[in-house]
Amino acid sequence: MALLFCALLSIAPACYHMEVEILGNVKSFKQQGGLLTIKTIKAEARVCVYSPTIIRVNISRRHSAPDSSYAVIQQPIGKFEFDESADAIEINTPALKLSINKSPLRFNFSTADGKPLSEDDSRFGTNWQGERVITYRKLYADEKFIGLGEKAGNLNRRGTSYVNWNTDAVDYNNKSDPLYKTFPFFIGLHSGLTYGLFLDNTHKSYFDFGATTDDEMSWFGADGGDMNYYFFGAQGVAKIIEDYTWLTGRMEMPPLWSLGYQQCRWSYMSAKEVLKIAKTFRKKKIPADVMYCDIDYMEGFKIFTWNKKTFANPWAIMNELKAMGFHLVTIVDPGIKIEDGYKQYDEGVANDYFAKYPDGENYTGYVWPGRCHFPDFFRDDVREWWGAAFTALTDVGVDGFWNDMNEPAAWGQNIPWMVKFGDKYMPEVRNAYGMQMARATYEGTRKILNNKRPFVLTRAAYAGTQRYSAVWTGDNTGTDEHMLLGQRLVNSLGITGISFTGVDIGGFSANPTPELMVRWNSLGVYTPMFRNHAIQGSKMREPWEWGDVNEQLIKKDIEQRYKLLPYIYSAFHQSTQTGLPISRTLAIEYSFDEKVYFERFQNQFMFGDALLVAPVESDKLTIDVYLPKGDWYRLSTGEKLKGGKIVNVASPLTDLPVFVKAGAIIPMQSVTQSTAAKGDGILLLHIWNGKKTSEFLYYEDDGLSYNYEQGAYYKRTIRFDPKKKSVTLSAVEGTFFSRFDKLSIVWHGFERGVNDKVVDFVKEEMMIGFV
């Protein structure tokens, strides 16, 4: 049996003695089209150039065909120039130099002018043990690492190691690993330089940033597949994120309603309860846009069904919700209940749509409905079938779709590795399963909804998921530690292209204190997705469940979210164009400021271009905040503060520390009860005095359709000139008519108070001076 096991896994020469196979010396090389192929005795390396700042290296003992990726959507450029010497092959672009040493084969990246960025370890480079492939790289004395998406621990990953293996990580903590998602992309920083690296390999993968190598090496690799990585050489973290999201895709504009406040629970047990909660929001005039239905809306937890008793008339509930300005998001899990007569089960069996054991038997695992089969989302026809099934939800008016349990999760966690999805076994594709489910959901609902944008939310993900879905950070806990960890997770996900992300406000499990609920809700204002969610059996979490005083504090903060929507929506547009996240670790803009990596300041982040937010535990009434260089203003008081130093500030529950960068331009609106409400038609343009000219790209569209893809948007550049004390608005681009017909400039930090004069919001270029 042991010998058979070895043979099946192709491990040589023996199960318990896996030799290290070093890459070896170059024997031959050639360029054909845009591909440079380099051969050694052990393997073949393929190098291609995607842009002046992106080079791909693929090393394999047996390259598979076709060359495909779930993440990458771009193609390499054609033939490129290279130089050869006796010792090396050198590829030069306007931004990058790749020196390929011949004996032994090693890959060393530097800037165009020769400054080292990242180099193979000269001894080990890339090697194999059995099927596991690892690359070892030189570790620089001052090198820091950020990224990897949803990973616990500190902002700076130096000295830690991680595993990517999508896992249902209920009750995770600050030391848990792995979690729900896989984003094998990180950014390295040293010597005033930046680089990025994306290991595009869906097998279980590993990243060690000097945790175990006496500070000599970092290393990364995977249990199988190729050593297939993309190297990014742009200078500046923001530029690397822009390149990475160009390569793997960017999010599209979300529906505007999904940026409002979202109320969720496992579960609201009936249509009557859902409507009661929605009506209470409107009665108490607490803004909200979204209600959720967790698994109990279904008949026996069967996907694409409605409970015949508690949700007997889904059309009626949707009509009432729509009349109040609410949208409904319903949960969907991948497990299809084994039950004759159940439409999705019968169709899946008839068309052979499910994952299988090697003998052709459908794999069975236990999840909420009981015994289930799992769709093979790696097949086009299965994704089309899955997407078409959403008519059971969309026909009654649902336009939000929450993908859960898609790691994939089954009770007991360990789906056997011999389970096959098409021609691929579980170990190769587990990390991409959730992404492909989200893709199937997105593509299907976009098609069904015609020109209306769906909202898709997923728990499990892989690089590139931003093209299809928002994500949240899974089953967190109602503690201060989790509130701070959650913000770091959101910030880190932003580095890896996931802009639309959030946490369960208040914590999914356990019961937060009233103080924590208030504090967490105030932080939720500055989280891209603002969702309150809780586990079955926990205390009710709606804003009015915390006493009159706390209800008013929560209401005030939710109102602040709605005031900021013009600013937030413009930030989302920026993300669709550049990949820059909405919630940004300070390491993006202040990459070489040592203090932003201090543990006491690592939770701070920029929300959009202008707002710096300092998360605070619920029991702290003052906090030390690090303000980077420049002038800043406390948002709540207008107090001006000098940056480049640590300041101790008050942090009562009534006032989360939020600071505005000098020169900031922040468009706001009056409070509305939903994103669909018209409001008073006045755009409030807040200008914060500074020393340098600044700009803001303001963006609107209808918030619902894809008409913006055909030019139906409203876009203009707003420029503040501190010398002239004037604001200039460029002429309008696009054919959409703004929802605002009036403009009021609110000046902050100026000598003579505020000019609140209201003027017409015309389409032509206009200039307004300070009075």
Side-chain angles (χ1 to χ4, degrees), residues 74-104:
Q74 303 293 347
Q75 296 296 319
I77 63 175
K79 187 175 181 179
F80 53 87
E81 299 297 321
F82 65 90
D83 298 315
E84 183 198 3
S85 66
D87 299 323
I89 304 165
E90 191 171 278
I91 298 171
N92 289 280
T93 77
L96 266 178
K97 178 185 293 184
L98 170 56
S99 298
I100 304 172
N101 293 344
K102 292 182 177 179
S103 301

Side-chain angles (χ1 to χ4, degrees), residues 681-701:
I682 301 174
L683 182 68
L684 301 168
L685 200 57
H686 292 259
I687 308 296
W688 297 80
N689 199 9
K691 298 175 182 176
K692 298 180 180 178
T693 299
S694 55
E695 290 187 352
F696 182 88
L697 184 61
Y698 177 77
Y699 179 86
E700 275 186 71
D701 57 36

Side-chain angles (χ1 to χ4, degrees), residues 600-621:
R600 58 196 290 218
F601 304 127
Q602 67 179 351
N603 303 312
Q604 294 180 194
F605 63 99
M606 296 297 296
F607 188 66
D609 291 335
L611 297 175
L612 186 152
V613 183
V616 189
E617 292 97 323
S618 61
D619 59 352
K620 291 186 178 179
L621 300 180

Side-chain angles (χ1 to χ4, degrees), residues 104-400:
L105 179 57
R106 298 289 184 263
F107 296 87
N108 301 321
F109 294 87
S110 60
T111 62
D113 58 356
K115 297 174 184 174
L117 291 173
S118 182
E119 304 165 272
D120 275 348
D121 179 85
S122 59
R123 300 160 297 172
F124 305 122
T126 296
N127 60 60
W128 287 265
Q129 281 186 280
E131 292 299 299
R132 178 174 288 175
V133 59
I134 302 290
T135 290
Y136 294 88
R137 298 189 83 79
K138 177 179 178 179
L139 192 59
Y140 298 89
D142 65 336
E143 194 164 12
K144 296 180 177 65
F145 301 91
I146 60 174
L148 290 191
E150 189 183 76
K151 291 296 182 184
N154 294 323
L155 166 63
N156 181 8
R157 308 298 190 190
R158 176 76 178 253
T160 55
S161 62
Y162 294 96
V163 176
N164 287 317
W165 185 243
N166 288 5
T167 300
D168 182 4
V170 62
D171 294 328
Y172 65 91
N173 59 47
N174 196 42
K175 296 185 183 298
S176 296
D177 189 68
L179 298 179
Y180 301 93
K181 304 170 186 67
T182 291
F183 294 97
F185 168 72
F186 68 86
I187 295 174
L189 309 97
H190 69 86
S191 313
L193 303 170
T194 58
Y195 71 89
L197 192 144
F198 169 42
L199 175 64
D200 191 12
N201 183 319
T202 57
H203 286 265
K204 181 183 282 189
S205 57
Y206 307 85
F207 289 80
D208 187 306
F209 299 111
T212 59
T213 57
D214 195 29
D215 258 359
E216 285 191 321
M217 299 180 294
S218 63
W219 58 270
F220 56 88
D223 276 351
D226 297 345
M227 175 50 62
N228 177 41
Y229 65 84
Y230 296 78
F231 189 88
F232 302 84
Q235 290 310 296
V237 172
K239 288 291 186 182
I240 292 174
I241 294 172
E242 185 172 354
D243 277 356
Y244 170 76
T245 56
W246 170 81
L247 185 73
T248 62
R250 299 184 181 124
M251 68 173 295
E252 62 184 29
M253 286 303 294
L256 177 60
W257 57 264
S258 66
L259 307 187
Y261 179 81
Q262 304 186 11
Q263 186 64 53
C264 186
R265 183 174 181 82
W266 174 31
S267 283
Y268 296 124
M269 298 300 295
S270 66
K272 182 178 179 181
E273 187 177 14
V274 171
L275 290 170
K276 179 183 176 182
I277 299 295
K279 289 175 181 177
T280 305
F281 274 102
R282 296 295 179 248
K283 179 181 178 182
K284 290 180 172 290
K285 296 191 183 306
I286 301 173
D289 267 81
V290 185
M291 291 296 300
Y292 276 73
C293 282
D294 209 316
I295 55 176
D296 293 285
Y297 80 93
M298 292 180 260
E299 186 71 36
F301 306 132
K302 291 180 291 186
I303 311 304
F304 307 122
T305 67
W306 294 88
N307 189 301
K308 294 182 178 63
K309 293 182 180 179
T310 54
F311 289 85
N313 191 343
W315 291 273
I317 179 179
M318 285 307 309
N319 287 338
E320 287 199 57
L321 287 172
K322 288 179 179 178
M324 291 186 284
F326 277 95
H327 294 257
L328 186 67
V329 176
T330 52
I331 199 168
V332 288
D333 295 345
I336 301 293
K337 182 177 176 61
I338 298 172
E339 181 182 287
D340 290 334
Y342 168 38
K343 184 175 186 291
Q344 274 65 46
Y345 170 73
D346 290 343
E347 291 177 350
V349 170
N351 293 285
D352 213 22
Y353 285 158
F354 299 127
K356 300 183 180 305
Y357 286 115
D359 64 359
E361 176 187 351
N362 287 328
Y363 166 69
T364 299
Y366 280 80
V367 209
W368 294 112
R371 298 175 69 244
C372 289
H373 296 328
F374 292 79
D376 181 357
F377 291 118
F378 298 92
R379 288 169 48 184
D380 293 343
D381 57 342
V382 176
R383 291 196 303 273
E384 290 176 9
W385 163 73
W386 174 266
F390 278 88
T391 53
L393 304 174
T394 59
D395 281 354
V396 301
V398 176
D399 49 10

